Amino acid sequence: MAQKSEPGNNYETCYTFIIKTGSDVPIKESTRKWDDGPMILTINPGSETTSSQELRVDEHFNFKTEGAVTVDFWLPRHIGVPKLLKVDLESDKLELFGKDALYVREITILYDRVPYRFPIKNFIYPHHPIHNPTEPRKGCVPHFLIREGAGTLKHHETEDFIIRAREEDLKNTKSMVNWKKSKDVVGDLLYPGLVDVMEYNKLPRFLQFKEANYDMILDFTDKGRDEIKSNVFNNLRAKVLGTYKENRFASFEEFELYLKHKSNEMGWPKENISEAMKVAKNFHTDEEFGRQMLCGPNAQQVQKVMSLDGRWAGRDVPEHALEGKSLQDVMEQGKLFQVTTDELDGIPHGGSFSKKLTGTEQTWYTILADCLLYLRNDGKLVPVLIRLENRNDGKPATWWSPPEPEITDLDHPGYLAWLYAKMWFRSADMNCYVMCTHFSKCHAVSETIAVAAYRNLPNAHPVFRILQPHIQGIIPVNVNARAVVISPKKNVFSLFLSSGSSTTEVFHNYFKKFSYNDLVVPEDVKKRGVEDIPEYLYRDDMMSHWEIIHQYLEELVHLSYHSDDDVLKDQELQDFLQEVVDIGFHRFENGAGFPRNISKREKLVEYLTVVVVNISVFHTAVNFQTFSYVTFQPNMPSSMTQPPPGQDDQITMETILDSLPLLETTFYAMNASNLLGTFSPIERFYLGDHGQNKLGMLGENMVVSPEQEACIRRMGERMRGFKDKIDNRNRGRYMKYDVLSPINTPITTQA
């Protein structure tokens, strides 16, 4: 421990500073220290009676990995309790020689043997000794002004110097985080508001600190790009030599062998490969099809059928598929469900990059596909009717039902026709899943809320401190994603998805129906009428997470908001809510149903639960199963290269294999699914697990008062019980469903 001053008289007392710096990013230069100049600390700056002088700390601070420096100062007793802390950084080092910002996690001051914690989690850039900036510079605020402890509501503050510091802190951050009009990105199409930065390295520095995940993304992208370049070169060479032949798979078994071969070559996780192989063995069965509708990556689309009008009008299903009942009977019994792909309406065929990628120009067919599912007496949900419509080419809809039960030959035309129809539906479902369920609902919506939070909630605000660990990853991830997802020049989806060349149009179709209540898990379950489907593990685990997180947030909210009146008087909170609606969703009807103001603690708890669950739990459910279900492409084809079947077409295995993606497209889908399904090396989870080298939420949180951390620990205990329940449920299952186990659920979105 460094001692920075000696006691002068009886009117001085010791203040011990524990300065924690460095992020927990595992980087090679782990031993590097920041020693470019002193850190300057001031207790209660701006106070006329309790402010300290500037305290200079000349130490070597941890730079890339976590560490702490402890220093003592003897200071006048009249300073008293440290309520506000100013943190500055100084260096006369020239920028030419690599001057860099320092990441400060937290500073704790021990005064009178009581710890006063100042959570920061931000970067600060050193200024020259003769120039003390007052505006943000190099993506960093000029200095930190941090309120101690649990965070406070502005109308609870009574001291002017604290209020002024709070306003300055928010002003600085707000100047660095600005809105970009969605119209500038997607024209007149619907899309939520987004941050006004299109390149990662131009983000504020506090939104760049996840370099470990960024580097990982680049590493996987480079490997995939090298493979694609090799495929393209080989195809061109073969054409010159006259030996070119399309790389089509001759059987489902060849898809399996290719998956094994490429997984070993690329170093993809063996555990994920094992799950993908289980899918490959059973994907053709109706029972596995139904299970994936309930437990796969797009499991939130199932809804009860309440009427046979509209798309199902005049249609019937063979009685053998409904255990001898009529369609009307099973609907009235509440056993008929549907999954639709209306988001693809009006979306043209894809394949514009197919020639460059595979050597031959193909059409990747985008069609509308709908599926009716029946809940059998044994509790299994199975498909009983599929509707396919190639509206782009003006073809009439076709209808497909399961073959007679006596047909057991897997090569029978009736069996193959049903399998083929299911694959067409799964391809449409795959396209909706990637761009609507995953990117639109998770990423785009969460970014809007994160931007509004950074712009309206200062560091001292308890809601900001609650949300910060959850929202910190979404903006940089989305900025990276937009460079390759929305950009017409670098649209990665167009390399493997049939609708991938029309991303913004698909987003628009999704957002036409999107509303706030879609994110309220209990309301969504009720609206879809799926409360009683057995073995709907996605629903069960989402509900469990919702209840646990809701209780945790309720405890935290009640610590800071003593009554509904506090919610109503919190103007910073109301500004945040209004900006989400007025800017984030201003082009949506009624602000997409988001509340423009909140006056009750109960509603605030719901709103925060929506934000946290969507950005962490829901994202986990749809993101981290991708490899298991997509890499064996016959299960969820990313595109289909032949027209959908006519009603009277004779379907053969050759028909099916000729329609599935070529080898090059298959690889791209596999590589993308592996990237999406990989945890960041700095991920934090709702429940830590030392055996799996997974860190829990404590340590990443900004709610640091003893009462707040007690809330986190109680949530952890409930999450532990939830994990045990999942573990017991999975014993003996062929396909385990543990994607939402708390040890597998990150607290934020980083992929």
Side-chain angles (χ1 to χ4, degrees), residues 38-41 86-90 124 127 132 142-144:
M39 179 179 290
I40 303 169
L41 306 173
K86 181 179 179 180
V87 183
D88 214 336
L89 208 58
E90 189 178 279
I124 186 168
H127 63 79
N132 194 348
H143 45 251
F144 301 139

Side-chain angles (χ1 to χ4, degrees), residues 259-278 627-628 674:
L259 171 56
K260 290 180 181 177
H261 168 68
K262 276 298 164 191
S263 296
N264 288 330
E265 185 178 288
M266 299 296 291
W268 295 335
K270 296 292 190 294
E271 182 179 4
N272 293 346
I273 299 167
S274 175
E275 292 297 295
M277 290 302 170
K278 291 178 182 178
F627 190 95
S628 299
N674 176 68

Side-chain angles (χ1 to χ4, degrees), residues 297-512:
N298 204 25
Q300 61 291 320
Q301 302 304 315
V302 178
Q303 56 182 320
K304 183 177 287 185
V305 174
M306 306 301 292
S307 170
L308 293 175
D309 295 334
R311 76 187 76 215
W312 307 117
R315 292 297 153 186
D316 207 352
V317 174
E319 287 192 354
H320 70 80
L322 300 173
E323 300 178 305
K325 305 168 189 174
S326 71
L327 204 55
Q328 184 70 29
D329 288 341
V330 298
M331 185 196 71
E332 291 176 356
Q333 293 169 6
K335 292 189 173 184
L336 194 63
F337 299 86
Q338 68 179 10
V339 178
T340 63
T341 60
D342 294 344
E343 294 85 354
L344 300 181
D345 189 14
I347 304 303
H349 301 317
S352 57
F353 289 95
S354 58
K355 185 173 183 178
K356 180 179 180 181
L357 189 63
T358 68
T360 58
E361 188 169 348
Q362 305 149 28
T363 298
W364 294 348
Y365 287 84
T366 304
I367 70 166
L368 296 174
D370 307 313
C371 181
L372 272 183
L373 300 112
Y374 165 58
L375 185 59
R376 292 190 321 208
N377 293 333
D378 64 359
K380 301 287 187 182
L381 188 72
V382 293
V384 293
L385 183 64
I386 288 176
R387 173 185 177 275
L388 306 177
E389 183 181 0
N390 182 5
R391 192 172 292 178
N392 285 326
D393 296 329
K395 302 295 183 181
T398 58
W399 303 84
W400 309 87
S401 296
E404 298 288 339
E406 56 267 22
I407 297 178
T408 57
D409 181 4
L410 301 188
D411 291 323
H412 188 282
Y415 176 84
L416 292 176
W418 178 233
L419 176 62
Y420 195 37
K422 289 190 292 183
M423 293 168 75
W424 272 99
F425 170 79
R426 291 290 277 158
S427 180
D429 185 53
M430 163 75 171
N431 278 260
C432 291
Y433 152 68
V434 171
M435 289 195 282
C436 302
T437 308
H438 187 180
F439 191 82
S440 298
K441 186 176 181 180
C442 290
H443 285 261
V445 171
S446 294
E447 179 183 358
T448 298
I449 295 168
V451 172
Y454 280 112
R455 285 177 49 80
N456 292 281
L457 302 175
N459 173 287
H461 199 289
V463 168
F464 178 81
R465 293 190 177 185
I466 290 170
L467 291 181
Q468 193 274 343
H470 303 286
I471 65 174
Q472 63 183 352
I474 187 63
I475 294 176
V477 163
N478 281 12
V479 168
N480 282 326
R482 271 194 291 278
V484 295
V485 173
I486 295 179
S487 170
K489 296 180 179 180
K490 297 180 180 180
N491 183 351
V492 67
F493 288 160
S494 64
L495 296 177
F496 67 102
L497 289 174
S498 58
S499 61
S501 296
S502 305
T503 52
T504 54
E505 291 80 6
V506 179
F507 298 155
H508 173 78
N509 285 350
Y510 171 77
F511 283 121
K512 284 192 297 186

Side-chain angles (χ1 to χ4, degrees), residues 539-647:
R539 173 205 61 205
D540 295 344
D541 290 355
M542 283 293 294
M543 285 294 292
S544 293
H545 269 291
W546 175 274
E547 291 165 3
I548 293 171
I549 293 171
H550 185 278
Q551 184 174 352
Y552 157 69
L553 292 171
E554 184 177 53
E555 293 176 2
L556 287 177
V557 165
H558 282 218
L559 286 175
S560 296
Y561 294 85
H562 305 143
S563 67
D564 290 340
D565 191 52
D566 273 339
V567 177
L568 192 59
K569 289 180 178 178
D570 184 356
Q571 191 57 50
E572 291 168 334
L573 173 69
Q574 303 301 332
D575 290 345
F576 159 61
L577 299 170
Q578 290 169 21
E579 195 159 291
V580 169
V581 173
D582 293 350
I583 300 180
F585 293 99
H586 77 287
R587 299 175 64 198
F588 290 63
E589 184 177 354
N590 192 33
F594 278 79
R596 194 171 182 275
N597 51 69
I598 290 176
S599 59
K600 303 289 186 183
R601 290 191 297 178
E602 179 182 5
K603 186 65 176 180
L604 175 58
V605 172
E606 178 198 88
Y607 191 98
L608 297 180
T609 308
V610 159
V611 174
V612 172
V613 168
N614 189 59
I615 206 168
S616 59
V617 182
F618 181 73
H619 180 262
T620 297
V622 303
N623 185 72
F624 291 108
Q625 292 194 102
T626 312
F627 190 95
S628 299
Y629 291 97
V630 173
T631 48
F632 179 70
Q633 274 282 276
N635 181 60
M636 288 184 75
S638 58
S639 55
M640 300 292 272
T641 64
Q642 299 295 327
Q647 195 67 70

Side-chain angles (χ1 to χ4, degrees), residues 185-245:
V185 180
V186 297
D188 292 328
L189 302 177
L190 276 181
Y191 192 85
L194 60 159
V195 72
D196 189 20
V197 176
M198 299 306 287
E199 297 178 31
Y200 175 86
N201 60 7
K202 293 183 179 180
L203 283 166
R205 193 67 179 87
F206 61 84
L207 291 176
Q208 291 186 43
F209 76 99
K210 295 297 184 184
E211 287 100 336
N213 194 37
Y214 185 49
D215 291 343
M216 180 190 72
I217 290 173
L218 293 179
D219 182 51
F220 279 121
T221 303
D222 289 343
K223 286 182 179 180
R225 187 183 296 115
D226 291 344
E227 178 75 12
I228 292 165
K229 287 180 179 177
S230 175
N231 289 337
V232 171
F233 174 77
N234 290 337
N235 286 333
L236 290 173
R237 183 178 61 180
K239 283 192 171 184
V240 171
L241 298 175
T243 59
Y244 173 79
K245 182 181 179 182

Side-chain angles (χ1 to χ4, degrees), residues 171-182:
K171 177 185 175 183
N172 284 330
T173 302
K174 193 168 187 174
S175 70
M176 300 166 64
V177 181
N178 296 295
W179 289 104
K180 186 177 187 67
K181 294 180 180 179
S182 60

Side-chain angles (χ1 to χ4, degrees), residues 56 76 121 192 198 223 254 280 282 389 402 415 497 538 648:
R56 302 175 71 86
K121 296 178 69 64
M198 299 306 287
K223 286 182 179 180
E254 282 195 9
N282 296 286
E389 183 181 0
Y415 176 84
L497 289 174
Y538 161 82
D648 299 323

